[in-house]
Amino acid sequence: GEEGYKIRRAFVPENNNIFLFADYSQIDLRVLAHYSQDPALLTAFRNGDDIHTRTAAEIFSVSQLLVTSEMRRVAKSINFGIVYGMSSFGLSTQLRISRREAQRFIDRYFALYAGVKQFMADIIDQARADGYVTTLLKRRRYLPEIDAANKVRREFSERAAINTPIQGTAADIIKLAMLKVQELLQHKESSCRMLLQIHDELVFELTEADCHFLQEDICRAMEQALEIDVPLVVNMEVGNSLAK
């Protein structure tokens, strides 16, 4: 919102420096594609498709050329909502639509990405059997209430079982990226400082000349942080404040 924008705008680099922003594109959904091995998701990311536009075209039964910004917004909410184990009630609240319509969108999503639905069922079963789930780098999250009699606690643990491997692996990836970029910077003579990690984004402070010199190397290091079954893609921007 506007208040958040004003706060970000207050943070500026030192004189003659700029900020370089490097953020992973849709990293949660790419990790989901790796885990689920869903053919449609894998193909979309390997082909460089806009996953939200593709999903919108399918759930609204229109050509991708006819997808409107509103359709894409709905598809984006569904794509990311699935990662969080969002229910039809949660989606209907977020999109301000009826619960029946939200459920219809979710059903169409799972018809398109059947591998995702299977992954979600399998990971919950695994959590029940093991008592925990792991990220790709084997970090564990224990879920002692996965079989709780209390429905609220049980369903929270089920959502955590789905979400943890995905978001946890995304967190692993950006930490690996920070290590790779730090190693890169140690071998370069530059003013560049890795300043912040904000979710799936790294922020650097450097001179404009160093930005031209380092931008591609930083991007490459981040995209090679961890090999998964779809490409990792990093978007780069520059700005004179954290508001960009």
Side-chain angles (χ1 to χ4, degrees), residues 173-183 194 196-197 202 222 225:
I173 289 171
I174 199 158
K175 287 173 176 62
L176 288 175
M178 293 167 75
L179 293 172
K180 283 186 173 290
V181 172
Q182 183 62 25
E183 183 180 2
M194 185 160 42
L196 286 172
Q197 177 224 338
L202 296 182
M222 291 179 67

Side-chain angles (χ1 to χ4, degrees), residues 12-240:
V12 297
E14 291 181 332
N15 290 339
N16 302 318
N17 283 353
I18 58 173
F19 287 143
L20 172 65
F21 304 91
D23 74 279
Y24 282 110
S25 170
Q26 299 167 347
I27 190 168
D28 289 351
L29 297 179
R30 293 173 191 273
V31 172
L32 176 61
H34 175 90
Y35 267 111
S36 69
Q37 289 296 298
D38 181 87
L41 266 186
L42 291 171
T43 299
F45 282 122
R46 287 168 180 169
N47 291 345
D49 295 344
D50 182 317
I51 193 69
H52 301 316
T53 299
R54 186 186 191 282
T55 301
E58 293 292 339
I59 65 173
F60 287 102
S61 301
V62 299
S63 163
Q64 291 191 31
L65 297 175
L66 298 177
V67 170
T68 65
S69 59
E70 177 60 20
M71 290 176 180
R72 188 179 183 279
R73 185 184 73 86
V74 170
K76 186 175 181 179
S77 293
I78 296 170
N79 278 331
F80 286 116
I82 293 298
V83 174
Y84 295 101
M86 183 184 286
S87 65
S88 59
F89 175 76
L91 185 64
S92 67
T93 301
Q94 182 172 323
L95 295 178
R96 296 181 181 177
I97 58 177
S98 71
R99 192 166 179 176
R100 179 178 294 181
E101 188 176 8
Q103 186 60 54
R104 190 166 69 248
F105 284 149
I106 291 173
D107 291 343
R108 288 179 182 174
Y109 176 94
F110 284 134
L112 172 62
Y113 303 121
V116 173
K117 187 175 185 178
Q118 189 62 52
F119 158 73
M120 291 168 68
D122 290 346
I123 200 70
I124 290 172
D125 288 344
Q126 181 191 323
R128 285 206 166 92
D130 298 337
Y132 62 85
V133 290
T134 65
T135 69
L136 276 182
L137 296 187
K138 306 303 180 186
R139 284 195 301 117
R140 290 186 182 184
R141 179 173 182 176
Y142 287 90
L143 298 166
E145 295 189 311
I146 192 72
D147 284 321
N150 183 289
K151 182 181 178 184
V152 173
R153 292 179 179 178
R154 184 177 67 252
E155 290 183 348
F156 176 85
S157 292
E158 289 174 353
R159 290 194 297 273
I162 296 166
N163 177 252
T164 297
I166 299 165
Q167 279 205 305
T169 296
D172 289 346
I173 289 171
I174 199 158
K175 287 173 176 62
L176 288 175
M178 293 167 75
L179 293 172
K180 283 186 173 290
V181 172
Q182 183 62 25
E183 183 180 2
L184 166 71
L185 295 179
Q186 286 173 345
H187 291 88
K188 300 281 188 180
E189 291 187 9
S190 76
S191 64
C192 183
R193 291 190 299 152
M194 185 160 42
L195 199 64
L196 286 172
Q197 177 224 338
I198 308 172
H199 302 298
D200 55 4
E201 175 182 66
L202 296 182
V203 183
F204 303 87
E205 183 177 350
L206 69 177
T207 64
E208 196 165 341
D210 281 340
C211 184
H212 291 302
F213 172 59
L214 287 171
Q215 189 167 340
E216 286 187 13
D217 289 339
I218 290 172
C219 181
R220 189 179 306 111
M222 291 179 67
E223 290 181 344
Q224 295 175 357
L226 182 69
E227 185 174 343
I228 61 174
D229 289 338
V230 295
L232 294 177
V233 174
V234 172
N235 298 318
M236 312 288 282
E237 288 186 73
V238 297
N240 293 311

